[in-house]
Amino acid sequence: MSELVSAPDLVATFPFPYTVDSYRYSTNIAPARGVVTTATGQWGRHVVDIDSEYTLELAERRRILSTDPTRHAALPHMRIACWDTMVLLMTELAGSYPATMSLTRDGDVWHWRNELLDVAQDFVIGDESTLPCDPLAYIAGQVQEDIVLLDQRDGDLFADAGVVTFAAGWSFGFDVGMAFLEIHGPVPRLRETGVITRAREFLMRLQPGDFYRRTNWSMTVGRRLDVSTEAFPAWLPDPAQLDAVDDDTFGRLIHLRVEVQHVIRLPESGAICFLIRSYMLPLADIATVEQWRTRTAAVLAELPDDMAEYKGLTSYRDRAVAWLLTH
Ligand code: HEM
């Protein structure tokens, strides 16, 4: 096996997204926590996942939030949902990583410990003065996941709160307050195929304590988490520049980006918590696994033009296919 570009744990836990040699949108929602065995290892055991990029990604989130406050919003009626989310994610972390995290309670006072960040915090639910910042921002600073909270009312779902610093080709600031179908408006094929209306019906029927998940994928030039529309000028690849890079650089530059998304009905507020965790591996690492190399080439080659265009990979997909087939 040739030398890996990424840390070994990122390869071993990569949620390779394709199960056949082609890809179409579907209502691919399954129960959370099911462990998926892959060619390199496994993924999926935990709802909130920590890997070797933890401190780096949290620093990147802090940097983005300090320069662009629109990545964080909570409409006033989402206050309880924000507390709900903080306690839920702390509970998940403590259950999944008991050696370094714990959540305990004495009467009204809760105790949170996160040794990875050297944090020990006592708080009272509902009392913001007991935390250094609001509860949603507080927990978003300790998980690699982006968070969107959806309020359910009038037979619909609205994205009324969240902290999203790693959006792939969309803008949280623009979408805040929008309805579920409106948010998905720019995505080709979703409405016509009924995929997104079925997904919405499914979400609206979720019961407190229900945890589900799905995957989604795209490609990113460079290992760059913030590929939001507002950051376009900073990252939008220049096709001429990309054409000019040599083969070796191309394989290290182009990343398959996979989102593991969880949907959870929150117990107190009844809102839906949507978590987006973004994983990236360069083609150079994908190609070290024969099954991944050939399957990714097949999926990219077969992908309809409108989907390739929406995913932003039209200018380099042919070269990516050729690269994968010859490495
Ligand atoms: C539960 C809360 C969800 C939120 C807040 C959400 C939000 C979004 C956003 C903001 C986009 C990008 C749209 C754009 O380009 O402007 C997107 C894309 C998409 N969403 Fe969702 N989504 C959610 C759940 C789901 C579910 C349950 C499905 C199930 C089918 C789904 C399917 C898709 C698909 C297929 C895309 C296109 C992705 C691509 O090709 O890169 N979403 N979603």
Side-chain angles (χ1 to χ4, degrees):
M1 200 155 107
S2 51
E3 212 171 297
L4 295 171
V5 176
S6 313
D9 76 302
L10 303 186
V11 179
T13 59
F14 188 67
F16 186 73
Y18 314 126
T19 49
V20 292
D21 283 347
S22 62
Y23 180 85
R24 293 294 182 277
Y25 296 136
S26 65
T27 316
N28 56 336
I29 306 177
R33 304 184 210 280
V35 175
V36 181
T37 301
T38 67
T40 57
Q42 52 177 234
W43 66 273
R45 186 180 303 280
H46 304 308
V47 170
V48 182
D49 186 33
I50 292 181
D51 63 23
S52 57
E53 295 287 291
Y54 186 60
T55 45
L56 231 142
E57 293 189 6
L58 296 185
E60 177 66 352
R61 170 161 297 147
R62 275 197 304 278
R63 185 192 67 75
I64 294 166
L65 285 169
S66 69
T67 51
D68 183 359
T70 67
R71 313 296 185 96
H72 169 209
L75 300 186
H77 61 276
M78 298 304 277
R79 206 176 146 265
I80 297 172
C82 294
W83 282 101
D84 237 358
T85 301
M86 187 187 84
V87 173
L88 175 101
L89 298 186
M90 286 177 174
T91 306
E92 284 301 316
L93 285 166
S96 300
Y97 303 97
T100 49
M101 318 255 182
S102 65
L103 181 67
T104 55
R105 179 181 182 179
D106 296 311
D108 282 347
V109 181
W110 294 67
H111 312 286
W112 167 242
R113 175 185 65 103
N114 176 349
E115 281 183 8
L116 294 181
L117 301 178
D118 210 11
V119 161
Q121 179 75 43
D122 290 350
F123 64 89
V124 175
I125 291 181
D127 182 352
E128 291 208 3
S129 72
T130 58
L131 288 176
C133 57
D134 74 90
L136 191 60
Y138 185 69
I139 197 60
Q142 302 186 42
V143 298
Q144 287 162 269
E145 283 74 11
D146 278 325
I147 306 169
V148 181
L149 304 182
L150 295 102
D151 187 33
Q152 186 164 333
R153 61 176 189 273
D154 309 327
D156 209 342
L157 295 166
F158 299 87
D160 285 347
V163 175
V164 180
T165 48
F166 308 144
W170 58 283
S171 161
F172 173 69
F174 181 75
D175 282 5
V176 174
M178 275 193 191
F180 187 75
L181 295 184
E182 231 181 318
I183 291 171
H184 288 91
V187 188
R189 295 171 184 241
L190 277 194
R191 274 312 267 277
E192 308 89 283
T193 52
V195 163
I196 208 65
T197 38
R198 279 199 304 280
R200 185 180 66 163
E201 296 318 307
F202 177 86
L203 293 177
M204 290 201 299
R205 284 194 307 269
L206 284 179
Q207 296 300 307
D210 276 353
F211 287 67
Y212 282 84
R213 72 169 182 225
R214 63 181 295 269
T215 57
N216 182 41
W217 68 274
S218 59
M219 298 189 95
T220 300
V221 181
R223 193 184 170 82
R224 196 191 157 89
L225 281 164
D226 179 14
V227 286
S228 57
T229 42
E230 51 269 56
F232 262 167
W235 64 265
L236 203 63
D238 173 352
Q241 251 175 24
L242 202 54
D243 279 350
V245 304
D246 64 26
D247 245 21
D248 190 43
T249 309
F250 185 82
R252 289 163 174 266
L253 207 53
I254 303 298
H255 286 68
L256 178 58
R257 177 181 182 121
V258 181
E259 296 178 356
V260 175
Q261 308 174 338
H262 281 90
V263 286
I264 303 157
R265 174 75 75 188
L266 293 168
E268 298 297 328
S269 58
I272 287 177
C273 174
F274 181 58
L275 302 173
I276 311 163
R277 176 72 153 80
S278 302
Y279 300 87
M280 280 182 277
L281 275 193
L283 295 186
D285 288 344
I286 296 287
T288 61
V289 181
E290 180 59 13
Q291 189 198 32
W292 290 4
R293 183 181 71 80
T294 53
R295 177 146 287 170
T296 306
V299 167
L300 289 180
E302 197 277 341
L303 197 70
D305 287 344
D306 57 344
M307 291 172 72
E309 185 67 34
Y310 172 73
K311 287 177 182 286
L313 44 95
T314 302
S315 65
Y316 57 86
R317 88 141 130 184
D318 290 349
R319 186 167 176 196
V321 173
W323 192 97
L324 285 164
L325 292 176
T326 52
H327 284 79

